[in-house]
Amino acid sequence: MTDNQQVPFGSGMFQGQAKFVDYAHMNQQEVQVNTLDEPVTDTLLRDINMILYKLSYVIIPRMKETQGRKLRNWDLWGPLLLSLLLAMTLGINSNQSSDTIFGTIFIIMWGGSAVITVNAKLLGGQVSFFQSVCVLGYCVFPINIAAVLITFFQSYFGFFLRIIIVGVAFLWSTFSSLSFMSSMMNEEKKVISVYPIFLFYMFLSWFCIFI
Amino acid sequence: MEIGVQKQTQEEKQVQPEQFNKLDDSGDKKSTGYCGFLTVEYYTPYFNVTETDVIQRIQATFLPFRPDFLNITKDNPDLWGPIWINATLIFLITAIANLRQIDQEKENQQFDVGYVPQATALLYIIAFGTPAILAIVMKILGVDLSFFQTICLYGYSMSTLLPITILCYFQNELFLWLIIVYGVGNSILFLIFNLKEELDKLQIQKKYIIIGIVVIMQLSLYLFYKLVFFSYVSEGKVEAKVASSDSKIPGN
């Protein structure tokens, strides 16, 4: 296998260079063929890149459908990391047992995503289960930021400033998840498909105000 | 995970003897009738509402003397209402119960997350268990009301609790008891007036059995509500701990 041949799969990796390939834009098939022999840092970097790439979509919500297409490659690492981070941050400062809070938030996040997805499916939307769970999980990122800010800078924030920060985070999360989910929902049942998402993020944000 | 679509009944009739030799399960929806309730497609007909329908149904629950509700939902019982009204209630209970505690103890804000699993268990068991029991009893006694219609009716009757929960923010004990009594009255009247048409076809004793079940379940729901979630918060932590320790939910 020489370099002159037109090999469709990433033949650059056989040369053993530490070249930084933009994995997030590669085809899913191109990546899967060569991943068994690569060093662990490559694997981790690829996954972290994927997560950061998707987070950039969350931070800058784009209303056009075509630009969200890269998010069709769902993964659950991002939501897992975000939910763990959120549950730990909110559990640190609580006076009572932090494992109750951890458990509650974890279950609300995953159970809530599952229930919202099943609800959207039942209302006739064209959603794939894991794509929707992935999107809902990633869009918790702004609430995560708010929780970290409030937990670690607690003494500087009065009650009203907390409400403002959490309110902004809640609106941001809802808006960015809507930009993905609304295209998949049934036209005439949009409000009742979207209301559970609103309730879900409201629930998670409410925890941030009080901790 | 597309396990069969309703449109395949024509094909099914034609390939009836070959049913067990098929490689895919696309036509097996009829033969797996006992496990049909585990698929998503089984419940899709019950989500056939838009937001105007939902709002109309919720409005109908606040006017119990006009039994419109059963007429509206007879052909189209929906499950969206019961599920999400109860979810909203769980959120409101957590929110308002914690807001009340904040006002009492400015220094020692304790966020009691224990309300979430308690509220979830209480509300969903009552919202789906009571209509199940009611439907079984009614089937035995001969009333012609389907299971899903009962769930729909009962779930929407919970929407009386929505404004009551919001009003429970205020600390005045008398006011709380007043609105609880109003809530009990409203929901019992709503349920009874809507079942009246069906119940009038029965004998007196059977009618009272059903009315009795309805009344008892509503009373216990509202009492749980008041005593577990919104007990009088005077010295903050102490009262809340006393209330949660004598709650009637087992294993807590």
Side-chain angles (χ1 to χ4, degrees):
Chain A
M1 198 172 316
T2 64
D3 290 352
N4 299 329
Q5 275 183 346
Q6 285 294 330
V7 181
F9 306 113
S11 60
M13 289 157 102
F14 284 169
Q15 297 169 14
Q17 291 171 354
K19 194 170 70 158
F20 185 76
V21 182
D22 192 358
Y23 290 111
H25 289 283
M26 280 171 77
N27 197 349
Q28 204 69 337
Q29 286 170 343
E30 290 175 337
V31 169
Q32 271 168 5
V33 173
N34 301 318
T35 56
L36 214 50
D37 293 330
E38 63 180 10
V40 177
T41 39
D42 274 0
T43 317
L44 289 176
L45 272 177
R46 180 174 66 244
D47 283 333
I48 291 181
N49 253 320
M50 207 161 54
I51 295 179
L52 289 177
Y53 183 75
K54 290 192 180 141
L55 284 179
S56 72
Y57 267 110
V58 172
I59 296 200
I60 311 174
R62 296 156 215 223
M63 294 305 283
K64 275 195 250 169
E65 161 64 13
T66 50
Q67 292 176 344
R69 192 154 291 158
K70 296 285 167 44
L71 274 171
R72 296 287 159 106
N73 298 332
W74 56 267
D75 76 298
L76 292 180
W77 280 114
L80 182 67
L81 284 176
L82 290 176
S83 65
L84 284 176
L85 186 62
L86 184 65
M88 282 196 302
T89 339
L90 292 178
I92 280 182
N93 258 353
S94 65
N95 298 330
Q96 54 165 178
S97 55
S98 46
D99 50 357
T100 332
I101 293 194
F102 185 92
T104 310
I105 293 195
F106 207 74
I107 290 183
I108 286 178
M109 212 182 117
W110 289 98
S113 309
V115 170
I116 293 176
T117 314
V118 170
N119 180 56
K121 275 190 117 130
L122 285 169
L123 286 169
Q126 310 295 323
V127 295
S128 143
F129 185 79
F130 285 110
Q131 252 176 43
S132 162
V133 170
C134 168
V135 165
L136 288 169
Y138 269 107
C139 289
V140 174
F141 186 54
I143 298 185
N144 238 330
I145 299 180
V148 166
L149 279 179
I150 288 183
T151 310
F152 292 116
F153 298 107
Q154 213 170 21
S155 44
Y156 299 118
F157 293 152
F159 190 64
F160 283 117
L161 197 54
R162 272 195 203 182
I163 290 192
I164 294 177
I165 292 180
V166 169
V168 166
F170 159 68
L171 287 172
W172 196 353
S173 291
T174 318
F175 193 62
S176 72
S177 73
L178 279 188
S179 63
F180 302 118
M181 300 287 278
S182 59
S183 56
M184 299 192 269
M185 309 267 185
N186 203 348
E187 263 309 312
E188 50 183 31
K189 298 182 186 173
K190 234 174 219 189
V191 174
I192 54 180
S193 311
V194 159
Y195 171 73
I197 299 181
F198 171 81
L199 190 65
F200 174 64
Y201 287 125
M202 176 90 95
F203 210 152
L204 286 177
S205 324
W206 199 268
F207 280 94
C208 295
I209 296 186
F210 288 97
I211 301 285
Chain B
M1 218 185 81
E2 297 293 302
I3 307 180
V5 185
Q6 293 281 9
K7 296 174 199 144
Q8 296 225 345
T9 40
Q10 282 290 358
E11 286 178 22
E12 276 181 33
K13 288 182 187 142
Q14 288 167 9
V15 298
Q16 202 72 349
E18 301 172 15
Q19 209 167 318
F20 300 105
N21 294 334
K22 281 197 287 204
L23 290 175
D24 63 317
D25 56 357
S26 53
D28 278 353
K29 193 169 198 306
K30 296 288 187 202
S31 65
T32 57
Y34 290 116
C35 287
F37 68 93
L38 292 173
T39 67
V40 168
E41 284 79 15
Y42 183 78
Y43 296 104
T44 314
Y46 298 111
F47 278 78
N48 204 10
V49 280
T50 62
E51 60 261 19
T52 36
D53 290 337
V54 170
I55 293 181
Q56 191 185 23
R57 292 176 189 196
I58 294 183
Q59 278 174 345
T61 64
F62 287 101
L63 304 168
F65 293 103
R66 279 195 298 168
D68 288 342
F69 189 83
L70 212 58
N71 299 333
I72 299 175
T73 64
K74 228 175 175 44
D75 313 312
N76 196 12
D78 83 303
L79 288 179
W80 191 93
I83 295 177
W84 291 107
I85 289 179
N86 288 302
T88 315
L89 276 177
I90 292 172
F91 166 65
L92 283 177
I93 289 177
T94 319
I96 303 270
N98 282 292
L99 270 181
R100 280 168 55 116
Q101 282 190 337
I102 274 228
D103 283 348
Q104 294 301 314
E105 337 158 347
K106 281 278 189 309
E107 319 81 27
N108 203 9
Q109 291 174 4
Q110 203 188 94
F111 185 69
D112 191 5
V113 151
Y115 290 139
V116 174
Q118 282 179 3
T120 315
L122 177 71
L123 285 176
Y124 278 103
I125 289 177
I126 291 197
F128 289 98
T130 315
I133 298 177
L134 211 58
I136 294 175
V137 169
M138 290 203 296
K139 274 262 157 53
I140 295 177
L141 296 179
V143 178
D144 179 31
L145 207 61
S146 92
F147 178 59
F148 286 104
Q149 279 170 342
T150 327
I151 291 187
C152 177
L153 182 68
Y154 217 85
Y156 275 101
S157 80
M158 296 279 204
S159 63
T160 330
L161 281 171
L162 284 170
I164 289 182
T165 317
I166 298 180
L167 287 176
C168 276
Y169 172 68
F170 299 108
Q171 313 281 9
N172 194 348
E173 188 75 1
L174 181 62
F175 179 66
L176 290 186
W177 280 109
L178 277 179
I179 53 179
I180 294 273
V181 165
Y182 163 70
V184 171
N186 193 355
S187 56
I188 290 182
L189 283 177
F190 167 70
L191 288 169
I192 292 183
F193 272 108
N194 276 294
L195 291 175
K196 200 173 169 44
E197 192 187 304
E198 299 291 323
L199 290 183
D200 278 341
K201 301 175 191 161
L202 298 181
Q203 306 168 350
I204 298 284
Q205 296 97 346
K206 295 183 184 174
K207 207 159 66 163
Y208 282 138
I209 293 178
I210 295 181
I211 294 184
I213 294 180
V214 165
V215 167
I216 289 177
M217 293 309 295
Q218 290 295 94
L219 272 179
S220 52
L221 168 68
Y222 280 80
L223 277 178
F224 268 133
Y225 218 77
K226 178 70 178 66
L227 299 175
V228 174
F229 300 128
F230 295 113
S231 56
Y232 187 57
V233 180
S234 66
E235 275 116 52
K237 277 197 299 191
V238 176
E239 289 296 283
K241 284 217 178 93
V242 167
S244 58
S245 67
D246 70 2
S247 84
K248 303 181 186 67
I249 297 176
N252 230 12

